[in-house]
């Protein structure tokens, strides 16, 4: 017969220590009001009973849980791994633990995750997805601070850490044009967010201002590029290669897309960068080790995490948020996947 060991609660600890349950609660949350002798008795009781405090139960009673919820769209994408790394380092330094949810760009899943998190954490970070203003206001009214990372927040309702996506892509396309490229393809995930529209507009406006034609068949915006960036780009470009004019250039809104494009080009014996130049957006670790090494845009992912978590914990602690919208700088990292055909 299997014996199931009883899980002790805060009342058991109080009984063992000879104090009230409120005193044990104070020990966890306001230790300075508990005398040293009482603290010692409570510590002995905790050790004897092997008691582990339930952070979620504490959250339901309105006290701090020292946890922060993070909602991301993709858990396997190294872009979000870097953001999470930045978030986690600041959270750990300031005594917080992360609880991460992944929504796969599903708005209903995101909403369910946020509803659950808002009942159990001290604050929430939302990455690369928007939440309806009404819901945001509801969470704020519950006393749950929210910070947006990699989201264009247009109504000033919550603080954000982001980049200027329009200017970043504009500069990138201008770089390709300055290298002599005229056949420039644009690969993007669906335009679900304002920042994705900004990227497309940066591409279109740069072509216009350089008196280059806008050709719809060079603008590839596909549902599959949302979460299957590498595989979907590989499949799509494999079908497009025969109709391409060389030399061409391809801008992808993710390094993972550019790496998928590389595979398709190599299989068709298309030389990179002599026949097709490639440039990505993210500067994930893999981009430096692709063949050839990928020219890309350095996206300040870890810095986004650092600044976003610092902002959120300051918000939780009641400190004023000095700047509600932080725009971080990007830069082109030149490697070997773009050729200057003017030389």
């Amino acid at each position: 017969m299997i014996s199931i060991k009883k899980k002790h609660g805060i009342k058991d600890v109080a009984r063992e220590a000879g104090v009230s349950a409120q005193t044990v609660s104070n020990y966890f949350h306001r230790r300075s009001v508990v005398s040293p002798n009482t603290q010692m008795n409570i510590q002995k009781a905790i050790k004897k009973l092997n008691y582990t405090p339930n952070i979620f139960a504490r959250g339901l009673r309105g006290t701090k849980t020292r946890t922060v919820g993070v909602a991301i769209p993709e858990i396997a994408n190294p872009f979000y791994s870097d953001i999470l790394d930045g978030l986690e380092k600041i959270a750990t330094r300031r005594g917080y633990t992360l609880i991460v949810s992944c929504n796969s760009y599903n708005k209903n899943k995101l909403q369910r995750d946020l509803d659950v998190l808002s009942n159990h954490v001290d604050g929430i970070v939302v990455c690369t997805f928007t939440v309806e203003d009404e819901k945001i206001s509801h969470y704020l009214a519950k006393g749950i601070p929210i910070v947006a990372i990699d989201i264009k927040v247009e109504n000033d309702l919550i603080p954000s850490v982001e980049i200027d996506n329009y200017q970043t892509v504009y500069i990138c396309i201008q770089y390709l044009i300055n290298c002599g490229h005229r056949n420039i393809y644009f690969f993007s995930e669906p335009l679900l967010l304002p920042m994705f529209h900004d990227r497309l507009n940066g591409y279109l406006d740069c072509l216009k201002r350089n008196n280059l034609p806008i050709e719809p068949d060079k603008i590839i915006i596909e549902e599959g590029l949302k979460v299957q960036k590498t595989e979907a780009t590989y499949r799509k470009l494999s079908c497009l290669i025969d109709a391409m004019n060389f030399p061409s250039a391809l801008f992808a809104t993710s390094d993972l897309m550019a790496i998928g494009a590389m595979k398709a080009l190599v299989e068709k014996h298309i030389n990179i960068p002599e026949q097709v130049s490639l440039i990505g957006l993210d500067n994930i670790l893999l981009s430096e080790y692709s063949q050839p090494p990928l020219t890309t845009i350095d996206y300040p992912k870890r810095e986004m995490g650092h600044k976003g978590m610092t902002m959120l914990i300051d918000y939780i602690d009641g400190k004023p948020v000095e700047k509600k919208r932080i725009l971080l700088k990007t830069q082109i990292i030149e490697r070997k996947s773009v050729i200057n055909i003017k030389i």
Side-chain angles (χ1 to χ4, degrees):
M1 184 175 179
I2 298 174
S3 171
I4 298 176
K5 195 172 182 179
K6 178 185 174 184
K7 184 173 176 64
H8 294 289
I10 195 170
K11 290 182 180 179
D12 299 310
V13 174
R15 190 179 304 111
E16 181 68 29
V19 297
S20 69
Q22 182 59 53
T23 300
V24 177
S25 179
N26 288 340
Y27 170 82
F28 286 115
H29 309 304
R30 296 191 302 138
R31 192 166 297 188
S32 61
V33 304
V34 181
S35 71
N37 285 340
T38 302
Q39 288 186 37
M40 190 177 300
N41 290 336
I42 292 172
Q43 288 167 4
K44 288 178 181 178
I46 290 170
K47 186 175 181 180
K48 181 178 178 180
L49 299 175
N50 195 26
Y51 170 73
T52 303
N54 185 337
I55 59 171
F56 295 117
R58 296 208 306 274
L60 291 172
R61 288 196 289 273
T63 55
K64 279 191 176 182
T65 66
R66 308 297 294 183
T67 59
V68 169
V70 181
I72 59 173
E74 298 178 74
I75 206 159
N77 189 334
F79 175 87
Y80 294 105
S81 299
D82 286 347
I83 289 180
L84 283 171
D85 183 63
L87 290 168
E88 193 273 336
K89 280 184 168 52
I90 299 300
T92 298
R93 191 179 304 165
R94 297 187 61 173
Y96 280 78
T97 298
L98 301 188
I99 299 174
V100 181
S101 72
C102 178
N103 53 66
S104 301
Y105 294 99
N106 183 308
K107 191 173 183 179
N108 292 332
K109 173 70 163 57
L110 170 64
Q111 197 58 70
R112 290 195 302 271
D113 290 348
L114 293 179
D115 286 342
V116 172
L117 288 171
S118 67
N119 288 323
H120 300 299
V121 298
D122 297 334
I124 296 173
V125 173
V126 180
C127 294
T128 325
F129 219 152
T130 54
V131 184
E132 293 176 1
D133 290 354
E134 183 180 350
K135 278 291 187 179
I136 291 287
S137 299
H138 170 70
Y139 300 136
L140 296 177
K142 288 176 64 175
I144 305 296
I146 299 177
V147 168
I149 289 183
D150 196 36
I151 301 172
K152 184 179 181 181
V153 177
E154 298 176 303
N155 56 15
D156 211 33
L157 192 58
I158 57 175
S160 65
V161 183
E162 53 192 283
I163 67 165
D164 187 332
N165 280 276
Y166 173 90
Q167 190 66 19
T168 293
V169 174
Y170 187 100
I171 290 172
C172 184
I173 302 304
Q174 187 63 57
Y175 168 78
L176 291 173
I177 293 171
N178 291 346
C179 287
H181 293 281
R182 297 297 181 265
N183 298 311
I184 302 174
Y185 289 76
F186 179 86
F187 274 67
S188 170
E189 57 264 69
L191 307 182
L192 297 174
L193 303 173
M195 58 182 275
F196 296 154
H197 288 274
D198 286 348
R199 292 175 180 178
L200 176 60
N201 289 334
Y203 165 80
L204 296 174
D205 286 351
C206 190
L207 293 183
K208 289 177 187 174
R209 289 173 192 172
N210 284 274
N211 297 315
L212 294 177
I214 293 172
E215 301 173 75
D217 61 333
K218 291 180 180 174
I219 301 172
I220 315 300
I221 300 172
E222 298 232 347
E223 181 70 20
L225 297 175
K226 189 163 57 177
V227 291
Q228 296 179 320
K229 292 178 170 57
T230 306
E231 301 92 327
T233 306
Y234 164 74
R235 291 194 300 268
K236 185 65 181 179
L237 189 58
S238 294
C239 298
L240 285 178
I241 287 174
D242 291 339
M244 292 177 73
N245 295 319
F246 303 120
S248 292
L250 187 154
F251 168 75
T253 58
S254 165
D255 285 357
L256 292 177
M257 292 182 197
I259 290 169
M262 278 187 179
K263 177 176 170 60
L265 293 167
V266 168
E267 287 187 356
K268 294 280 188 174
H269 305 290
I270 304 297
N271 292 324
I272 306 168
E274 289 80 5
Q275 290 175 279
V276 177
S277 288
L278 293 172
I279 187 165
L281 175 65
D282 287 346
N283 194 27
I284 61 174
L285 181 63
L286 287 173
S287 64
E288 187 175 355
Y289 295 95
S290 62
Q291 193 55 249
L294 180 67
T295 295
T296 185
I297 303 293
D298 188 29
Y299 213 105
K301 304 173 289 298
R302 285 185 174 82
E303 188 181 0
M304 279 183 162
H306 290 162
K307 291 189 178 297
M309 185 56 67
T310 299
M311 186 185 288
L312 181 65
I313 295 176
D314 284 348
Y315 202 167
I316 291 169
D317 291 342
K319 297 178 182 178
V321 176
E322 296 179 1
K323 193 174 182 181
K324 292 199 74 173
R325 189 182 186 211
I326 298 176
L327 279 178
L328 300 180
K329 294 181 179 180
T330 58
Q331 62 176 328
I332 295 176
I333 304 297
E334 294 185 274
R335 294 195 178 109
K336 301 295 184 181
S337 65
V338 173
I339 190 172
N340 189 336
I341 59 179
K342 281 187 172 181
I343 297 176

